[in-house]
Amino acid sequence: MGKLVTIKIDGKEIKAEEGSNLLQTARDAGFDIPGLCYYDKVSPSGACRLCLVKIDGMRGLTASCTVKVNEGMNITAFDEELEGHRKAIVELLISEHKLGCMTCEVDSGCGLEDLAYRYDVTVDNLPFPARSEHLPVEATSPVILYDPNKCILCERCVKACYEIQGKGILSFAERGIDTYVATDLGGLWVDSNCDGCGECIQACPVGALVEKPSIGKARKWEITKEETICPYCGVGCRIEVEKKGNEIIRINGADGPANDGRLCVKGRFGYEYQMNDSRLTTPLIKENGAFREASWDEALDLIADKFTGIKNKYGSGAFAGLASARCTNEDNYVFQKFMRAALGTNNVDHCARLCHASTVAGLARAFGSGAMTNSIKEFEHADCILVTGSNTTETHPVIATYIKNAVQKHGAKLIVVDPRRIDLVKYATLWLRQQNGTDVAWLNGMMNVIINEGLADEEFIRSRTEGYEDFAAVVKEYTPERVEEISGIPKEQIIEAARVYAQAENGSIVFSMGITQHITGTDNVLSVANLAMLTGNVGKLYSGVNPLRGQNNVQGACDLGGLPNVYPGYQKVVDPDVKAKFEAKWNAKLDDKVGLSVTEMMDGAGEGTVKALYIMGENPMVSDPNLNHVEASLKKLDFLVVQDIFMTETTQFADVVLPSFSSYEKSGTFTNTERRIQLLNPVLDPPAGTRDDWQILQDISNRMGYKMNFTSAEEIMEEVADVSPIYGGVHFKKLGVEGVQWPCKTDDENDRGVLYLHKDTFSRGLGHFSPVDFIPPAELPDKEYPYMLSTGRILFHYHTGTMTRKVSALNSFESGPYAEISPELAETLNISENDDIRITSRRGSIVTAARITDKVAPLSVFVPFHFAEAAANRLTNDALDPIAKIPELKVAACSVEKA
Amino acid sequence: MATVPKLDVLICGGASCISNHSHDIKDKIFEELKKNGIEDEVRVIETGCMGPCELGPVMLVYPDKVFYQRLKPSDIETIVSDHFVKGRPVEEKVLVSETTRAIIEKGQQDTDFFKKQTKVVLSNCGRIDPENIEEYISENGYAALGSVLTSSTPDEVVETIKKSGLRGRGGGGFPTGRKWEFVKNTTNDQKYVVCNADEGDPGAFMDRSVLEGDPHCIIEGMSIAAYTVGANKGYVYIRAEYPLAIKRLEHAIEEAREYGFLGENIFETDFSFDLEIRIGAGAFVCGEETALIASIEGERGNPRPRPPFPAISGLWGKPTLLNNVETYANIRHIILKGWEWYASIGTETSKGTKVFALSGKIKNTGLIEVPMGTTLRELIFDIGGGVPDGKKFKAVQLGGPSGGCVPEEYLDTPIDYETLIELGAMMGSGGVIVMDEDTCMVNTARFFLDFTKSESCGKCVPCRVGLVQLHALLDKIVKGNGELEDLDKLEKLCYSVKKTSLCGLGQTAPNPVLSTLRYFKDEYLEHIQDHRCRAKVCTNLVTYTIVEDACRSCGICAKNCPVDCISGEKGVPYVINQDICISCGTCYDVCPFDAITTES
């Protein structure tokens, strides 16, 4: 808060913050000064001229939206002259506006309509003729419709696209009365780089930009609005759901702590799945190889009986369960409690194993805590951001906007280290293209330069860390020359990157699956941690080591004990004191051994040691590596229960399928990638016949004799707070819109948790430097499989596609599988765009369409993993990181041929 | 040793003379010199614009001071053989005095066109080779910069400029010294100086002429400004339509770098400065300073709200000094001759000289420079030679398309910033368009609105839509459909557009309407009430008839009529069917015997 000053508006004295926006200040003080171009999320443009005021000492009239408040300002906001001009401006706007108000999507929610009403301007009493010429409507985007005849050219959309989303796709084309908003200075919307985030629609004060899927669905007054958290990625954007009855009409970005109202195309348009006809609405039991509908009682009794039988016959070790990164914290808590207390096993894991197991392992070892050290909005203020192994624009689109803001608004330097020419490369000061799987080498190389050039933070190393000497001895061997040989990155670039990062006041590292999904995933993470500690870039604002978590609640699923080695709150299962505490709290005898990880469960099932598997909201038949092996394993199980909202590739192998809630229907909490626990709102009624995930688990548990009697998600969180110190201060009543960031240990209302971790001291005390040597990937291209295969996500789809592939808006951007190959490879193999190609690895083979692009390196192939019909994971290698047990999804060798 | 040339031949290389083939003349001279074997005795120099464009291509021969005009390549053989070889000027190609009809033998200064001019800004134009820095240096070039860098503090320079009374020549007339002081006093590591050479007014070409004829004076003026405000980087924003100006300035920048007038440690001081050219795509609005800055930044050339003013936050958010070409061109003279000298020229509030571009219905079209305070009458009748073809003067439009039209009764007003504003016009860039009795003032207002509405960037509502609606109202009147209440609507809308527009374009665009409403309201009323256009310009209000006696029945009118409303046969005068005629005026234009008359 800046200095308070006194200003006068129409004779009334007002206290306001010095430097604040005059229009906003006046409006906050109750002066309803009109204005259509002012939008508090972007810089003022002063275009509509409606907010003109008179300011003593300033010549002429001044647009108040462009003025900052100063001590002693004396303002006239309303007088006859100003109101006369305002009316004239509204008349001019109406004269060029297509008055299709009765069929307009924003009728009764339109800024211009409101002003026409206020100033009594109608087409009949205009002092001059309305314009008759009509420009063509731009409707080529799959999700956005732009009607230039309704556009008032306020520039809010143009600014939103650039200043908020960092994309700069929209601009004005032509000039004067012919001006319109265009992509690429006048090209077709569909041909542009527009990815459909819809930030422009949200910024539009009139009906010029609207959501195509919402057209004709509802009048504004039929709509009710409720806020909740987006069901997609780990950013945890707050959304405003507009609904008519129980149907979603549209979704807007709401001002949440992680997103400030921003959204991506999935968050805004990816809701259609919720109302898809194929939602499961009744339990299914497989009989003679086919599913039949069953009552809840029958299904739950059957599961309880089967499980009791298996437990009696094979013991607790025969069970395994996959918790879910899509379900709430409360669901996951009950899930692991059921597995541990009712079934008696620590064989609980979930797909975090496949994404950030190595992060948790590595950062726990280096810092004592395996989560994002800093917070999302800090990215905008970092001086240098090193992004590696994260295609942030596609996987965490809203986080990418803050990174772009840092570069575009504040001049931050962005270093991208990635084998692919990802979108962020366009914004980068430096792009280092390493060979897949050589991350330890280039990280050591950067650190070699930093040490040699005296750029290390010696005070930080001395006072905050241990293990430096052993670490430095290893790094010494990684000269830029040697690293160039290993990684393929020119040594000059390594040196430059080292200098840029080390010399930044605040350097932030962002990473994701490109770092973690390797047999050296833990090593990679340790190296990243080393780099941050070496330069003192951890434990302070705008810096840190920031693994981006992929799914909406993957952080929470880990926090709540959906892992085989820890109880909720990362309390180790092998610690006898901890075990004793949980045995007392849960009134049950607990397993004292670390349980099986995802891949080990599949091995166990394949080998016959695991007899029953309980899967809550996961789809390993698409998400897991080496699918042929997964398929064989699932088939061998005695009993498989899957709880989901749709039939999936995995449910086909189930014995019982149970229908549950989608996240729009849920109460409970998600924990986003910045450790922020946020409250969900059940904005829709669930389909009849479905039950909430935790409820189902509790019912089975009770049937098996282990009593749980939670009556609400809130009650579950109370128990979590009781048993898990890092969630100790988390209570629904306290969460509000802002949520809290763990660790949040006290009930104090003002304890909102921790914005950034490891201030003054690391969770483990001293930060630990680990000496890490480079180890090549498990499988590299050879004569038989000559190309480098890598897999990943794309913007328009999510995980195994169970949700996004049921959304026509998203399918219209990208509807099916493809593989990216380089122009060089295409030429060598005589492949044209969209040709079917066969990609084969030692584990399997898929046929998919070729997409020729220089995004990939010349001898590399990239396959998105969302598409079951050409599942990338038929090809991937299930070789594991020895510590984190994460498979090497990012590197495999493959062959390519025309199909 | 090379022979010292006996003759200096200055050929005008201004854009107007070049368009009239002055380069062919130059080539021809070289050819003839060679033929006569006197290449070493004659030095040929291509200069910038000499001013009297009407007479071009022009050529001045020293030391005889013989001024050749309206040259053709075919004239050169005689000029070389008679004048250059034998010393006898070719009289029929030499300029003749308007008043005495005598041949101008003692040089340009004797003509009325030149006599009343005071050349400061244009002092080098037409006199030196703009592509030779040595010639600029020999005219005391870069002496002002040297003197400032070695013996004045920035504060002293600001004082000098303030006391000189120089005001911005881009049209606004903001005191230059104060602007420099603002930028100087703004603290920032990085500041810029920018030269606005985006001369967008149709009919104004003084900035182009300075850049073409004396580019170094801009470099020097900007360097002095940069030293004063603490900038180390400058940009000159020129429109792409000025290729010759761009070429010559580029060349001058290269030369200045070679000679150490640009670059590091200029005059062995701590001052370093360099310049870059940015080429604009020709949008009129880019002459507005914030739009110009946006354009240099690579953005769409849309104006931005002020405040913040560029002096605080300009190019890339840094403090930026922005002056136009003519302003910078004055600087070296003020430094060299002292502020007292400069302040002694002009009026109470407007000091120094102003360059004007004369065009329209005036005999001597061209570029002239006069002291502030010269009257419009002197400008138009003494220097400009008055209205040609015996027509009657009606109005003079001052200040470009957003200026105002001033009638005869105010012609004795001395020109300065304030008097022009009072008259409803403005200094603008100095475009002077003279209109005679054949000009319809309503149509003139519509014409200028047509320009400004299509040059509106479209950003702010009053300018984007308001100008279109103003134009529509004028169009309605011009077409004979006007109603009396339209005049009130016009005035009211003009007022709103002026008051509420974001930038100078919209704030001034209604001026032609307001000034014609003020001085020529009777013409508006005639259009509306009597359906009459006294200038017979507004075709809907004009009737065309064929004068029987004059018609020779050639049939050309009928052949060209787009609606076939003219009929006749050999030997009988043709007739226009008024029911069908659309008053397009084609017959009037094509009749070889002036047999068609207009009535309104």
Side-chain angles (χ1 to χ4, degrees), chain B residues 361-372:
Chain B
K361 301 293 176 61
I362 190 165
K363 270 187 200 150
N364 301 332
T365 54
L367 209 57
I368 61 149
E369 185 174 0
V370 292
M372 291 283 189

Side-chain angles (χ1 to χ4, degrees), chain A residues 489-731:
Chain A
I489 303 169
K491 65 173 194 253
E492 296 76 15
Q493 289 183 11
I494 292 163
I495 294 168
E496 182 62 17
R499 288 175 183 161
V500 169
Y501 173 75
Q503 287 170 351
E505 180 70 27
N506 298 302
S508 178
I509 305 175
V510 173
F511 71 89
S512 204
M513 251 94 292
I515 284 293
T516 61
Q517 290 177 333
H518 294 278
I519 55 160
T520 59
T522 307
D523 285 352
N524 292 350
V525 173
L526 288 169
S527 293
V528 168
N530 287 342
L531 177 61
M533 288 191 288
L534 183 66
T535 50
N537 272 317
V538 62
K540 60 176 182 178
L541 267 175
Y542 317 133
S543 66
V545 173
N546 299 298
L548 304 184
R549 309 301 302 256
Q551 300 190 62
N552 52 332
N553 198 35
V554 65
Q555 183 67 52
C558 293
D559 298 347
L560 275 298
L563 297 170
N565 59 335
V566 286
Y567 294 116
Y570 303 100
Q571 302 173 80
K572 292 195 167 72
V573 296
V574 293
D575 182 329
D577 294 342
V578 168
K579 177 167 161 274
K581 175 178 107 177
F582 277 92
E583 284 184 333
K585 294 271 182 195
W586 288 349
N587 192 24
K589 178 103 187 71
L590 299 176
D591 185 1
D592 60 358
K593 296 183 302 294
V594 170
L596 299 176
S597 69
V598 169
T599 34
E600 288 167 337
M601 287 176 195
M602 293 305 166
D603 292 344
E607 288 155 11
T609 53
V610 171
K611 299 291 183 189
L613 184 61
Y614 199 116
I615 300 178
M616 172 171 78
E618 292 221 335
N619 188 10
M621 266 311 295
V622 178
S623 63
D624 286 17
N626 196 357
L627 287 180
N628 294 340
H629 170 64
V630 174
E631 184 173 341
S633 302
L634 292 180
K635 281 178 177 163
K636 277 205 170 165
L637 286 166
D638 281 9
F639 198 62
L640 173 63
V641 182
V642 180
Q643 203 165 294
D644 211 311
I645 62 172
F646 294 114
M647 292 300 274
T648 67
E649 291 72 16
T650 303
T651 55
Q652 60 178 311
F653 301 105
D655 296 283
V656 180
V657 179
L658 302 171
S660 58
F661 290 3
S662 82
S663 80
Y664 300 113
E665 300 146 10
K666 274 178 178 288
S667 298
T669 56
F670 288 157
T671 304
N672 78 351
T673 185
E674 58 175 352
R675 301 170 275 104
R676 190 183 297 274
I677 299 133
Q678 307 194 91
L679 199 56
L680 296 179
N681 231 338
V683 298
L684 298 173
D685 296 334
T690 60
R691 292 189 184 178
D692 209 351
D693 291 277
W694 64 264
Q695 187 75 54
I696 300 169
L697 294 159
Q698 175 167 292
D699 287 350
I700 298 169
S701 187
N702 286 337
R703 279 175 162 78
M704 289 182 70
Y706 181 75
K707 293 294 175 195
M708 288 194 244
N709 49 10
F710 298 115
T711 61
S712 69
E714 185 168 10
E715 263 183 42
I716 300 170
M717 186 52 84
E718 288 301 313
E719 184 172 313
V720 173
D722 183 41
V723 301
S724 169
I726 61 170
Y727 275 60
V730 180
H731 305 287

Side-chain angles (χ1 to χ4, degrees), chain A residues 112-127:
Chain A
L112 182 58
E113 196 180 46
D114 291 346
L115 288 177
Y117 187 84
R118 174 165 164 183
Y119 288 99
D120 187 26
V121 176
T122 71
V123 73
D124 303 319
N125 65 16
L126 279 182

Side-chain angles (χ1 to χ4, degrees), chain A residues 157-158 161 168-173 179-186, chain B residues 300:
Chain A
C157 56
V158 174
C161 187
I169 293 157
L170 298 183
S171 64
F172 287 139
T179 310
Y180 64 99
V181 172
T183 56
D184 302 336
L185 300 172
Chain B
R300 177 182 164 95

Side-chain angles (χ1 to χ4, degrees), chain B residues 128-131 136 142 209-220 245 248-253 255:
Chain B
I128 63 167
D129 178 355
E131 300 199 16
Y136 180 71
Y142 291 108
S209 292
V210 172
L211 288 166
E212 287 175 0
D214 193 14
H216 285 285
C217 81
I218 301 305
I219 299 174
E220 188 171 6
R248 289 196 178 145
L249 183 64
E250 270 171 354
H251 180 79
I253 290 172
E255 282 185 314

Side-chain angles (χ1 to χ4, degrees), chain B residues 149-172:
Chain B
L149 291 187
T150 53
S151 59
S152 302
T153 64
D155 285 322
E156 286 164 354
V157 182
V158 164
E159 248 349 84
T160 304
I161 303 298
K162 275 167 89 174
K163 283 182 180 160
S164 76
L166 175 64
R167 295 170 67 177
R169 294 294 191 250

